[in-house]
Amino acid sequence: MALIVQKYGGTSVGSIDRIKNVARRVAHFHKQGHQLVVVVSAMSGETNRLLALAKELSANPSPRELDVVAATGEQVTIGLLAIALHELGIGARSYTGGQVRVLTDNAHTKARILTIDETPMRRDLARGTVVIVAGFQGVDAEGNITTLGRGGSDTSGVALAAALKADECQIYTDVDGVYTTDPRIVPEARRLSSVTFEEMLEMASLGSKVLQIRSVEFAGKYKVKLRVLSSLDEPESTAPGTLITFEEDDTMEQAIISGIAFNRDEAKISVMGVPDKPGIAAAILGPVADANVDVDMIVQNIGSSEHTDFSFTVHRNEYQRALDLLAEQRKKGLAAREIIGDSRICKVSVIGIGMRSHVGIASKMFKTLADEGINIQMISTSEIKISVVIDEKYLELAVRVLHRAFELDKESA
Ligand code: ASP
Ligand code: MG
């Protein structure tokens, strides 16, 4: 008998039929004698619909009230799922985040979980009752309803699993696991039977949308055993999904590269002909950071004379703002010959912990792209990933040729 936390996303509970299907799967695990805590999202599209209602009333709604509105989506699903389980003759009780007491800070619309009170859940579980918890929401110390940011019910699931020291946290979604890359771009993409936590973290931050990045961070911190599975399979399915492992408990021979991630959400800004002297990076990036614009990749050329060029990427939504900020800095005395931007770029990354012990991954990546005539504009690396910025129009080609070059379509030995 195990204590299992199962999290079902919006598509998995997107209709009454799907909710019945979730109930059947929960019942299946329950009959095997497992203790179950089920975390659900709002029905698909519901959170968007609720937030849009608020936006109809105000261009700038109060974050506290937005949370009051948005949290209702999940409250509907917990009640419906409990009713569906009762119909199958299974004891189940629903809890809102506030009822469990998922205590968060008071940062409305992006709150962080502080503590979770496990006592009421333990009582139910001991009686064989299935515990159903609304994802995405909590309550602050004053009792205000809070939400955890879009996609936040992944984090709710992982946090509950951590608090309960669950044997496993199963994330059910509309795909059957984590893939070597997006199968819509590369049909030969394969489901990974396991991926390390660190690789998953890179994949989540580099554009793979299977798990909310905060949930992966949480899983890493509390060593939660995570598995990604499909909710669209039959309730009795034994499909294994993808297990997110910790390196130390991973005895399998690792593939060198486990996936190719990409991201179309970035834009590049280059500040050309700035004086090559101490303080220049701070003078350019300081005001950008002060305005809360996240900077991703940064490249500075070695100055050939007294001047140098400086490039960095930001999220596309913040591109114009970053350009405006720099224009302002220039007026205030930042000596730059020219400031140019390009929003038609993308970032492609190869990820794999095997890189630590294998040389030549970067050169293979660069050569593969060069053979297709794809120009690399920027490069950044970490211990387990290499990212390049290239022209957006080459995105699909780059992902395809890299997937083939690193033989990701082949089952690893
Ligand atoms: N319902 C919330 C959202 O759509 C939370 C979630 O689905 O994870 O963002
Ligand atoms: Mg989600």
Side-chain angles (χ1 to χ4, degrees):
M1 190 192 75
L3 198 170
I4 301 172
V5 173
Q6 297 187 334
K7 181 260 166 177
Y8 292 92
T11 4
S12 309
V13 293
S15 67
I16 290 299
D17 275 340
R18 293 250 167 104
I19 290 175
K20 283 185 184 168
N21 203 48
V22 168
R24 281 197 289 270
R25 177 174 293 95
V26 173
H28 176 70
F29 276 84
H30 186 258
K31 282 192 190 110
Q32 295 175 331
H34 299 304
Q35 296 188 325
L36 288 156
V37 174
V38 184
V39 180
V40 286
S41 292
M43 296 170 81
S44 55
E46 186 60 12
T47 309
N48 286 342
R49 188 185 72 85
L50 291 167
L51 294 174
L53 290 176
K55 292 267 149 106
E56 272 186 48
L57 290 167
S58 161
N60 207 358
S62 137
R64 181 186 183 277
E65 305 311 331
L66 269 182
D67 278 353
V68 170
V69 174
T72 61
E74 273 71 11
Q75 188 171 333
V76 171
T77 8
I78 54 170
L80 291 176
L81 181 57
I83 294 168
L85 279 164
H86 297 163
E87 284 300 301
L88 298 177
I90 290 179
R93 261 172 86 93
S94 68
Y95 292 88
T96 63
Q99 286 174 320
V100 172
R101 209 140 195 273
V102 175
L103 182 72
T104 70
D105 62 17
N106 61 4
H108 285 290
T109 76
K110 47 175 187 295
R112 289 192 173 258
I113 298 177
L114 302 174
T115 59
I116 291 179
D117 180 8
E118 38 163 329
T119 347
M121 293 187 284
R122 291 258 184 231
R123 211 182 318 127
D124 283 344
L125 292 172
R127 288 193 203 116
T129 303
V130 174
V131 173
I132 304 170
V133 181
F136 177 58
Q137 55 177 265
V139 69
D140 73 6
E142 264 93 66
N144 299 299
I145 295 171
T146 55
T147 68
L148 310 179
R150 298 308 304 271
S153 46
D154 286 343
T155 301
S156 305
V158 175
L160 282 160
L164 291 160
K165 301 190 180 55
D167 295 290
E168 188 163 303
C169 180
Q170 303 175 340
I171 307 278
Y172 285 92
T173 176
D174 50 2
V175 290
D176 63 350
V178 179
Y179 276 69
T180 49
T181 195
D182 188 337
R184 282 169 298 192
I185 292 191
V186 185
E188 297 80 33
R190 271 187 318 110
R191 181 182 55 80
L192 294 160
S193 57
S194 76
V195 62
T196 68
F197 154 75
E198 283 172 286
E199 290 167 324
M200 193 64 228
L201 202 56
E202 291 285 4
M203 288 187 190
S205 67
L206 293 171
S208 152
K209 303 252 159 31
V210 186
L211 287 173
Q212 192 208 31
I213 182 152
R214 262 169 75 184
S215 71
V216 185
E217 286 166 0
F218 222 100
K221 190 157 160 206
Y222 295 99
K223 291 266 147 83
V224 174
K225 191 171 159 198
L226 260 187
R227 197 185 282 279
V228 177
L229 299 138
S230 167
S231 69
L232 308 178
D233 290 349
E234 286 302 307
E236 298 79 21
S237 159
T238 52
T242 299
L243 182 67
I244 292 127
T245 61
F246 295 92
E247 242 178 291
E248 51 268 39
D249 52 47
D250 195 12
T251 48
M252 275 173 293
E253 175 69 27
Q254 274 294 330
I256 299 171
I257 299 301
S258 56
I260 316 277
F262 54 85
N263 187 340
R264 306 175 205 255
D265 300 334
E266 290 192 31
K268 182 177 81 168
I269 294 176
S270 299
V271 185
M272 316 291 286
V274 288
D276 191 10
K277 61 173 198 213
I280 196 65
I284 295 171
L285 292 179
V288 176
D290 290 344
N292 253 323
V293 174
D294 261 334
V295 170
D296 183 28
M297 282 197 208
I298 304 171
V299 171
Q300 188 194 323
N301 287 347
I302 306 213
S304 48
S305 56
E306 295 92 70
H307 288 92
T308 185
D309 305 329
F310 194 94
S311 297
F312 59 96
T313 62
V314 295
H315 195 281
R316 255 185 225 186
N317 293 341
E318 302 187 305
Y319 172 59
Q320 196 48 52
R321 229 171 104 233
L323 280 177
D324 293 347
L325 274 166
L326 287 171
E328 230 171 86
Q329 287 309 111
R330 215 169 158 198
K331 272 191 214 135
K332 286 185 192 155
L334 171 72
R337 182 167 32 84
E338 196 183 4
I339 297 174
I340 48 181
D342 185 356
S343 62
R344 286 194 311 265
I345 56 149
C346 66
K347 184 167 74 175
V348 177
S349 312
V350 302
I351 299 161
I353 57 165
M355 261 183 229
R356 286 194 188 124
S357 48
H358 284 82
V359 292
I361 305 297
S363 58
K364 182 166 179 173
M365 178 181 193
F366 303 156
K367 175 155 192 324
T368 304
L369 296 174
D371 286 348
E372 300 295 330
I374 300 173
N375 183 40
I376 299 171
Q377 303 177 17
M378 294 170 95
I379 301 169
S380 84
T381 66
S382 81
E383 256 199 305
I384 65 161
K385 70 125 214 257
I386 304 162
S387 301
V388 297
V389 165
I390 58 173
D391 189 319
E392 183 186 58
K393 72 176 181 235
Y394 294 126
L395 172 77
E396 305 201 347
L397 176 63
V399 173
R400 258 187 280 123
V401 294
L402 289 170
H403 197 269
R404 199 176 316 130
F406 287 104
E407 301 188 349
L408 288 172
D409 47 343
K410 301 207 178 86
E411 212 53 61
S412 60

